[in-house]
């Protein structure tokens, strides 16, 4: 059996312990709770986020108004998970609407609960949502023991305008598509591949060397004037037409 060096084994164990801590883990978000009415100091909205599962919060169950309970954060947060623990096993929270709203009031997540009669703990996982408010609405009383919201700071989105201070070096990866306009500075070395389309105008100077591969067919049009020297190889067959001018001397 091959032995693993002690130092290597130490590094493997250290990495296994440190890597999970380096990955951003969802934390319970702290916010400000409120509800549609606070008629009893013993059941205020804040009780539902006090981390005490022996206390509970109720709304007023006003028949003329929609009951609501919400927790608000100071800015948009990444919301990964919501856990709602209701009070008792009654029909409370049945058909309630749970929403995430961002700072502009736009709904970023919404779900409608079904029959909650036999359910006490309601969990929403892997939401991948962004919001500054978690809102529960119902046309009946909202009985809560605790509502837990887990997430973190929102990941920054790319800006619409270029940065005032651009990066000093190129990106690690090339762009997936060519730019619409050519760069101002030519590249340090020529590209290794030919362009997909020919240039619009011929080069100013002809090439010094012949092409590696000659053309497979002659030109479509003859030259405008005869060559100054005859070809090295005679034609395979005589011409079918006489010359327009006689030869300078008779044939031998």
């Amino acid at each position: 059996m091959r032995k693993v060096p002690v130092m290597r084994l130490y590094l493997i164990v250290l990495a296994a312990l440190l890597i999970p801590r380096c990955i951003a883990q969802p934390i319970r978000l702290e916010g400000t709770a409120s509800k549609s009415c606070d008629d009893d100091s013993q059941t205020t909205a804040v009780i539902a986020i006090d981390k005490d599962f022996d206390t509970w919060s109720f709304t007023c169950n006003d028949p003329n108004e929609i009951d609501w309970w919400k927790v608000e954060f100071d800015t948009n947060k990444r919301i990964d998970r919501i856990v709602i623990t209701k009070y008792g096993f009654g029909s409370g929270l049945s058909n309630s609407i749970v929403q995430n709203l961002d700072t502009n009031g736009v709904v970023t997540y919404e779900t409608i609960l079904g029959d909650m009669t036999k359910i006490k703990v309601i969990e929403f996982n892997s939401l991948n949502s962004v919001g500054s408010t978690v809102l529960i609405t119902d046309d009946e009383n909202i009985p809560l023991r605790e509502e837990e919201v887990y997430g973190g700071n929102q990941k920054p989105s790319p800006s619409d305008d270029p940065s005032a201070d651009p990066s000093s070096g190129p990106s690690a990866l090339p762009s997936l598509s060519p730019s619409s306009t050519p760069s101002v500075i030519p590249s340090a070395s020529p590209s290794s591949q030919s362009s997909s389309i020919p240039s619009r105008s011929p080069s100013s100077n002809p090439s010094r060397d012949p092409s590696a591969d000659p053309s497979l067919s002659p030109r479509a049009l003859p030259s405008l004037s005869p060559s100054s020297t005859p070809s090295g190889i005679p034609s395979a067959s005589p011409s079918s037409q006489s010359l327009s001018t006689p030869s300078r001397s008779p044939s031998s």
Side-chain angles (χ1 to χ4, degrees), residues 29-51:
L29 302 177
E30 302 290 341
T32 303
S34 59
K35 62 180 184 177
S36 49
C37 66
D38 276 328
D39 60 344
D40 187 349
S41 60
Q42 301 298 317
T43 61
T44 57
V46 70
I47 292 177
I49 58 170
D50 63 356
K51 303 178 182 179

Side-chain angles (χ1 to χ4, degrees), residues 42-43 47-48 52-59 83-94 116-122 136 141-147:
Q42 301 298 317
T43 61
I47 292 177
D52 184 354
F53 288 83
D54 291 328
T55 58
W56 53 86
S57 173
F58 291 95
T59 54
V83 182
I84 300 173
T85 303
K86 75 173 189 177
Y87 175 78
F89 285 97
S91 61
L93 294 180
S94 294
M116 296 290 110
T117 303
K118 298 181 180 181
I119 300 175
K120 190 172 183 179
V121 179
I122 309 162
I136 303 174
N141 180 37
I142 300 176
L144 297 176
R145 280 194 181 273
E146 199 76 13
E147 179 178 272

